[in-house]
Amino acid sequence: MKLTDSPEAVATDLQDERLQARAGLRGGLTTVIDRARGGDLGMIPVVVGLVVIWTVLQILNPVFLSSANLVNLAMESAAVGVIALGIVCVLLVGEIDLSVGSVSGLSAAVVAVLFVGQGLPAWIAIAVAVVMGMAIGYLYSQIYNRFGVPSFVISLAGLLAFLGLQLYVLGSRGSINLPFDSGLVTFAQFAFVPPWLSYVFAVVAAGALFASGFFHARDRRNAGLSASSLTALLARSGALLVVLGFVLWYLNQTRGLGWMFVFFVALVLIMHYLLSRTKWGRAVYAVGGNVEAARRAGINVKAVYSSAFVLCCTLAAIGGILAAARLAAVNPSSGGGDINLNAIAAAVIGGTSLFGGRGTAFGALLGIIVIQSISSGLTLLNLDSSIRFVVTGGVLLLAVIVDSVSRRSRTSHGRA
Amino acid sequence: MSPQQPVDGRDSVLTLRGISKTFGAVAALTDIDLDVAAGQVVAVVGDNGAGKSTLVKILSGVHPPDSGTITFGSRVVHIPTPAAAHHLGIATVFQDLALCENLNVVENLFLGQELRPLRLNTVAMETRSWDLLRQLSAKIPTVRVPVASLSGGQRQTVAIARSLLGDPKIIILDEPTAALGVAQTAEVLNLVERLRENGLGVIMVSHNMADVKAVADTVVVLRLGRNNGVFDVRDVSSEDIVAAITGASDNVVTQRAARRAVPGDATVEEGPRQ
C-alpha cells in the first residue's frame, strides 16, 4: 500500500482491511500459487505437460525440437485445433459433441465433391460445407432444446449418421484428390508468412496487449479502482514480444510461420474476445455454471445452447476443410480415427472443464500443441499408431483426472 | 376483515385487494389483502401451506391471480411474467439464491443485464457494484472472487444487491435468514433495515418470530390461505402472532411453553429430548 493512507488514496476495491496488499511481481506470484492450491489451476497443467513432453521427446529424438519439425507441428495443429475450439464452446455450457470428427469428414467430402467433382469455384464449395456445419449444429440444438435428449446421445447418433452421409457423398469414387495448384492446398501446404511480416505480427501483438492494458488501467484509475502499474504492463508486453520474437525467429530458420496456423490463432483470438468481453460470453459461462440461475437472470438459455452447438459444428466443418487441404485428399477415413478424441482431449488438456463453466479459448491452442507434439514425437520415433493411440488415451485420462481432482479441491477450498 | 391502514398514514406503494388463487380443487389463497408503503417492512408469516409462497409467486409474476386487484403506485396492474414484475419495480430474492458459483460477484450482480453487451464495460460494472455493496454496508472484501468462496450471509447480500440493480420500489425476500447462522442472520437483518432507510417497501416472508419482531413494522398473518390478522409489531407479542398462525390461543406452542415452565410436569408427555 502507499504511504499516503488517507481514505481517498486507497482504491475503492482495496478498502477492506482484511485484504492483504499484493503488489508487484511477488504479489502476482503469491496469487497464482494461492489459486493453484485452491484448485484453480488455469493453464498450469498444460504448460507443465508441454515442458515435460517436449523434454522427453527431445531426449529421445534430437530432431523433435528442430525448426523444421516445429514448423510442421504448427501446420498439423491447425485443423484439429479449430475443431477443439468448437469443443471448448460446448464444454463451457456443460454439454459435449462426440460427432465433430464425422462432421469434419462430411464437410471435407462435400468440398471435394463440389470442387473437384462438380468443378464449382472453391469458395462456393467451402461456403456450402460451412453452412451445412451450421445446419447440423442447429439440428442438434433443436433436438436438445425441444426434447431434452442428452447431448452425448444426440452427437453419438450424429457420429454414425454423418459418417454414413460422408460415405454416401463420396460414393463409389472412394478417394478424391485435391489438385496441388488449387488455392486450398497451397494455403494449407505452401503458404508461409514472410519473416518481416511475422515480426510485424509479434510487434502488433505486444503493442495491442500493452494498449488494451494501458487504457483499461487508465479507466480503472479514473473510476477510483486499483489498476496494474505501468511497469507491470510494460513487463508483460515486453515478455510477450521476446517470447514471440524468439519463436518466430526459430521458425523462420526454415519455412517459417504457416498462414493456416495464423488463421487458427486468429480464430482463437476472436473466440477469446467473444467469451471474455461480450454479454454472450458471460451467458455461456453462466449457463455452464448454473442453468437455473442463468434462466432467472433473464438469459435466453435455449439460445445460448443453440449458439454453442452451432459454433461447434461450424468450426468442425471448417477444421475438416483445413484437414482435407492439408492432406490434399479426401477419403472415407477423413475425419475418422483419432480426430474426435484428439479434439476433445485438446480442449480438456487446455483446462476446459468437462463439468461446464470453466475454460478458455487459449486452452484449445495449448491443448492441441500438446496432443500434436505427442503424435509428432511418436511418429519421429517410428512408433506406429497403436502406441500413439495408447499414449494419447493415457494423456486424455490424465487430463480428466486433473480436472476432477482440481474440481474437488475447489469445492473444499470454497471455490467450486 | 377490514382492509388494513398503512402504518403512520403513509400512502401504500403496493396494495392487494381480494386476491384469490386456486390450484385445481385447492384454494391456495382466498381474499387476501395486503398493503406495503415505502420504507415499510411487512413480514408475512404463516404455517406451512398457509399460502406464503403462492403470494410471493403472484407478486413476482410466476403465477397470475384468479381474481382480485393489485394496485402499484396509483394504478391497477397485471403481473403476467417475472419480466413484468421486474419492469414495474418489484424485485424478488428467492430462497435458493440462484447465483452462478463459477462467476465472481460483479459478474453475478450484472448477469443478464451487462453494460455495453458487445464490449463489456467492466470498470463501470465494478464501480456500480461497489456503490451498491457500500449502500448496503456489505462486508465483502473483494468483488473479484467467485461466489463459491463467499459465506451464506455474503451470498444473501449479493442476491439482494442484485435485486436492487433495477431500482425497484418493492423488494420481496423469501425466507432470507432460513439457512444462516446467528451472526449472518444479524447481518441480513441489518441489510433489511438499510433497505427500509433507503425508502424501499420490503415484504419479508419468514418463519422466525425473533427476526420478525426484530425488523418488521407490520406483521401479516396468513392461515389456510386467508388473512388471519394484521398487527403493528410494536404492540403485539410473539404469543399473539403464534396464536394467529395456528388459529388458537391454546396451541402446541403454548402447550410446550407451559410444560417447560413447570419442570415437574415435563416428564409425562414429552418425547425423547435431543
Side-chain angles (χ1 to χ4, degrees), chain A residues 20-228:
Chain A
Q20 295 157 331
R22 280 179 180 172
L25 208 56
R26 179 176 297 218
L29 199 64
T30 323
T31 310
V32 170
I33 293 174
D34 263 7
R35 278 200 191 149
R37 284 230 179 98
D40 205 350
L41 297 174
M43 292 284 179
I44 297 173
V46 66
V47 171
V48 170
L50 201 57
V51 169
V52 170
I53 288 168
W54 279 20
T55 312
V56 170
L57 290 174
Q58 175 68 10
I59 292 168
L60 293 177
N61 186 338
V63 180
F64 180 72
L65 285 183
S66 68
S67 173
N69 191 48
L70 290 185
V71 167
N72 211 33
L73 186 76
M75 295 295 275
E76 292 289 337
S77 302
V80 186
V82 171
I83 302 177
L85 201 54
I87 292 286
V88 169
C89 283
V90 281
L91 286 183
L92 279 179
V93 294
E95 299 300 329
I96 191 142
D97 187 340
L98 300 171
S99 70
V100 283
S102 296
V103 172
S104 78
L106 174 60
S107 135
V110 165
V111 167
V113 165
L114 291 180
F115 178 51
V116 180
Q118 308 290 319
L120 289 172
W123 68 268
I124 292 184
I126 293 172
V128 169
V130 170
V131 169
M132 186 204 62
M134 288 178 183
I136 293 173
Y138 186 73
L139 175 71
Y140 284 0
S141 66
Q142 290 308 302
I143 297 174
Y144 181 83
N145 286 337
R146 284 171 198 274
F147 306 117
V149 182
S151 59
F152 98 91
V153 177
I154 302 174
S155 58
L156 210 52
L159 168 85
L160 206 58
F162 295 120
L163 176 61
L165 200 54
Q166 175 187 353
L167 298 181
Y168 176 79
V169 167
L170 286 174
S172 55
R173 273 174 291 197
S175 178
I176 299 177
N177 291 324
L178 301 178
F180 262 86
D181 53 356
S182 65
L184 257 178
V185 178
T186 313
F187 173 73
Q189 296 198 355
F190 311 113
F192 287 89
V193 181
W196 65 268
L197 187 57
S198 70
Y199 296 124
V200 170
F201 282 164
V203 173
V204 168
L209 182 67
F210 177 76
S212 78
F214 179 78
F215 288 118
H216 187 60
R218 195 193 59 183
D219 285 352
R220 283 183 67 88
R221 226 169 264 126
N222 287 344
L225 299 170
S226 69
S228 34

Side-chain angles (χ1 to χ4, degrees), chain B:
Chain B
M1 146 163 299
S2 66
Q4 66 186 100
Q5 284 304 307
V7 179
D8 305 337
R10 282 175 296 191
D11 291 333
S12 70
V13 179
L14 181 71
T15 309
L16 270 58
R17 287 289 174 267
I19 295 289
S20 299
K21 175 78 189 172
T22 56
F23 293 107
V26 181
L29 292 178
T30 314
D31 267 346
I32 296 293
D33 296 336
L34 183 75
D35 293 85
V36 186
Q40 185 189 17
V41 178
V42 176
V44 175
V45 298
D47 223 335
N48 293 333
K52 303 183 303 273
S53 305
T54 311
L55 187 61
V56 169
K57 281 177 180 160
I58 285 175
L59 287 175
S60 59
V62 177
H63 298 313
D66 294 337
S67 62
T69 56
I70 302 174
T71 315
F72 190 81
S74 53
R75 53 198 184 89
V76 175
V77 294
H78 295 279
I79 313 177
T81 61
H86 194 254
H87 192 71
L88 275 177
I90 301 177
T92 310
V93 179
F94 286 99
Q95 198 173 350
D96 54 331
L97 303 168
L99 300 171
C100 287
E101 303 223 319
N102 57 335
L103 300 181
N104 69 29
V105 176
V106 182
E107 289 165 345
N108 265 293
L109 284 177
F110 281 87
L111 191 60
Q113 38 194 334
E114 288 89 351
L115 306 176
R116 223 167 53 188
L118 293 179
R119 193 162 64 87
L120 294 181
N121 192 343
T122 51
V123 177
M125 286 195 276
E126 189 169 337
T127 317
R128 180 95 173 83
S129 302
W130 281 114
D131 287 349
L132 273 176
L133 294 173
R134 294 268 144 80
Q135 194 184 326
L136 296 171
S137 304
K139 295 209 174 66
I140 293 179
T142 164
V143 292
R144 312 239 279 188
V145 290
V147 163
S149 61
L150 301 184
S151 71
Q154 289 173 325
R155 288 179 200 208
Q156 187 69 252
T157 309
V158 173
I160 291 174
R162 180 162 83 183
S163 69
L164 290 178
L165 259 185
D167 280 328
K169 301 278 191 307
I170 297 281
I171 181 162
I172 304 170
L173 305 176
D174 191 2
E175 297 276 2
T177 58
L180 301 183
V182 180
Q184 294 179 352
T185 300
E187 245 173 65
V188 169
L189 295 182
N190 285 342
L191 215 60
V192 173
E193 279 170 356
R194 197 94 359 88
L195 294 174
R196 170 169 54 196
E197 284 161 23
N198 291 340
L200 278 91
V202 181
I203 299 175
M204 186 171 99
V205 174
S206 184
H207 268 120
N208 189 320
M209 280 314 125
D211 294 354
V212 169
K213 292 282 287 180
V215 292
D217 300 310
T218 307
V219 182
V220 174
V221 179
L222 297 186
R223 178 171 148 73
L224 302 176
R226 292 173 183 274
N227 275 114
N228 201 29
V230 177
F231 305 97
D232 190 325
V233 83
R234 281 167 302 194
D235 42 50
V236 69
S237 64
S238 290
E239 289 73 31
D240 294 341
I241 300 176
V242 171
I245 290 174
T246 54
S249 55
D250 181 27
N251 56 52
V252 65
V253 180
T254 53
Q255 286 160 11
R256 261 190 74 84
R259 277 206 308 276
R260 303 282 301 227
V262 191
D265 299 348
T267 48
V268 186
E269 286 171 283
E270 232 168 341
R273 285 210 196 164
Q274 11 189 343

Side-chain angles (χ1 to χ4, degrees), chain A residues 331-348:
Chain A
N331 54 44
S333 68
S334 291
D338 52 355
I339 286 197
N340 240 336
L341 216 56
N342 276 355
I344 295 170
V348 175

